[in-house]
């Protein structure tokens, strides 16, 4: 390498290094942070008993015979949550409330799997579609878009999906969606699954996801002091009545529970912001 080339290489290397340092140290826009949710501060029992809080952030109950730090059995937790809910109903007799059967001692049965449609008959390999299509059994430009559903035996969900899909596609999607909802049902009914430390699970105050009203989110929640999404309220319940740790937005348990709660309200009119 000649002296002239060396003189060129050194500055270029220096500039490259400087550029790398600049990129590594340049001020970047801080990631948006979310303020932590407030907590429901329950009173302390003079006898050291466990004190439970309700989702409303106000109603509490001292569980006699169970000390702080101990975990309730499902039967004890059901009795305690039923008493909490009864106290809340007495304080709010005119509340818009779904009257549903109380949760049972045994874990509730997961929702039945949706009966899947039969697989669509496949095109005969030797058949030839109408028009000038050169691919046997296929669909080409000459057949026209209107012929696609008929030729593929598709169930086109106009307005919801793009293109034409076969019944086999629909079957796969229905089964995978149902599996997702069933996982949400499992988590919703299991205090351990949400990381609860006192034995209280979501279904104890919301049997079959009743009175969760996912169709009303986003809306202002007094307990949180701000506009909340459904997942914010799920985390509120996990942190307070269940005394667990909040779940990240992408946590599979959070995603599954959202799916389950929405599935339970299928057909309900969307009215965000409603109380």
């Amino acid at each position: 390498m000649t002296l002239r080339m060396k003189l060129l290489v050194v500055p270029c290397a220096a500039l490259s290094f400087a550029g790398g340092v600049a990129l590594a140290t340049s001020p970047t826009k801080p990631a948006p942070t979310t303020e932590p949710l407030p907590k429901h501060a329950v009173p302390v029992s003079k006898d050291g008993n466990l004190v439970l809080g309700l989702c409303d952030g106000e109603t509490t109950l001292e569980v006699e015979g169970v000390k702080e730090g101990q975990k309730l059995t499902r039967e004890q937790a059901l009795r305690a949550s039923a008493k909490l809910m009864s106290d809340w109903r007495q304080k709010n007799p005119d509340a818009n409330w779904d009257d549903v059967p109380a949760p049972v001692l045994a874990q509730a049965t997961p929702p039945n799997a949706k009966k899947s449609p039969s697989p669509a008959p496949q095109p005969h390999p030797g058949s030839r579609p109408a028009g000038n299509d050169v691919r046997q059994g296929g669909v080409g430009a000459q057949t026209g878009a209107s012929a696609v559903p008929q030729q593929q035996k598709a169930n086109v969900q106009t307005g919801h999906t793009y293109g034409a899909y076969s019944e086999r596609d629909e079957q796969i999607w229905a089964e995978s969606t149902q599996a997702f909802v069933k996982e949400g049902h499992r988590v919703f009914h299991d205090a351990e699954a949400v990381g609860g430390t006192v034995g209280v699970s979501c279904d104890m105050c919301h049997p079959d996801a009743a009175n969760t009203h996912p169709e009303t989110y986003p809306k202002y929640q007094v307990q949180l002091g701000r506009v909340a999404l459904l997942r914010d309220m799920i985390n509120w319940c996990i942190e307070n009545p269940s005394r667990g740790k909040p779940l990240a937005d992408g946590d599979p348990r959070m995603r599954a529970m959202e799916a389950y709660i929405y599935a339970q309200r299928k057909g309900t009119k969307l009215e965000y912001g409603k109380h």
Side-chain angles (χ1 to χ4, degrees):
M1 181 180 294
T2 65
L3 177 59
R4 183 179 181 182
M5 293 179 63
K6 290 180 180 178
L7 290 174
L8 287 173
V9 167
V10 171
C12 288
L15 286 173
S16 177
F17 174 76
V21 171
L23 286 174
T25 59
S26 62
T28 56
K29 190 174 182 180
T33 57
T34 302
E35 295 181 5
L37 297 175
K39 292 186 180 297
H40 180 189
V42 298
V44 178
S45 165
K46 63 181 178 57
D47 298 320
N49 290 329
L50 176 66
V51 180
L52 293 178
L54 192 64
C55 324
D56 66 345
E58 296 179 355
T59 310
T60 61
L61 174 71
E62 180 175 339
V63 186
E64 295 184 359
V66 180
K67 298 303 179 185
E68 190 69 43
Q70 294 181 327
K71 184 180 293 186
L72 301 170
T73 64
R74 182 168 175 84
E75 183 176 5
Q76 290 173 321
L78 281 172
R79 284 202 300 267
S81 58
K83 181 64 170 58
L84 281 167
M85 296 303 298
S86 175
D87 291 347
W88 187 88
R89 293 296 305 276
Q90 290 183 6
K91 291 191 299 182
N92 301 275
D94 299 325
N96 181 19
W97 193 253
D98 300 330
D99 283 316
V100 295
V104 296
L105 183 59
Q107 294 275 336
T109 304
N112 293 327
K114 180 181 178 181
K115 186 176 181 181
S116 302
S118 302
Q122 299 301 308
H124 191 281
S127 65
R128 184 181 179 85
N132 298 324
D133 201 316
V134 296
R135 294 177 297 165
Q136 291 186 341
V139 179
Q142 298 300 322
T143 58
S146 60
V148 172
Q150 290 75 21
Q151 293 202 17
Q152 293 190 340
K153 306 293 183 184
N155 178 20
V156 180
Q157 300 182 11
T158 305
H160 296 279
T161 57
Y162 299 97
Y165 302 103
S166 68
E167 291 184 15
R168 179 177 178 276
D169 294 333
E170 296 280 354
Q171 179 180 348
I172 293 172
W173 296 343
E175 290 177 352
S176 58
T177 301
Q178 195 62 16
F180 202 43
V181 171
K182 287 179 70 175
E183 172 60 10
H185 174 279
R186 183 189 71 80
V187 177
F188 196 83
H189 289 75
D190 188 346
E192 300 286 340
V194 294
T197 57
V198 292
V200 174
S201 55
C202 303
D203 67 299
M204 292 180 181
C205 297
H206 302 279
D208 295 330
N211 296 301
T212 51
H213 300 296
E215 72 281 358
T216 61
Y217 289 91
K219 66 181 177 183
Y220 188 90
Q221 285 292 118
V222 176
Q223 308 96 308
L224 278 59
R226 67 187 191 206
V227 175
L229 300 176
L230 174 61
R231 60 188 55 188
D232 295 325
M233 277 309 297
I234 292 175
N235 269 338
W236 167 271
C237 292
I238 289 175
E239 279 196 281
N240 295 278
S242 297
R243 296 201 195 176
K245 294 182 178 179
L247 303 178
D249 286 350
D251 190 298
R253 294 168 294 176
M254 173 65 80
R255 292 162 52 80
M257 276 199 292
E258 282 188 325
Y260 167 68
I261 293 171
Y262 277 110
Q264 292 300 101
R265 303 288 288 183
K266 181 180 180 181
T268 305
K269 181 182 178 183
L270 177 65
E271 290 189 273
Y272 78 90
K274 180 183 178 183
H275 283 270

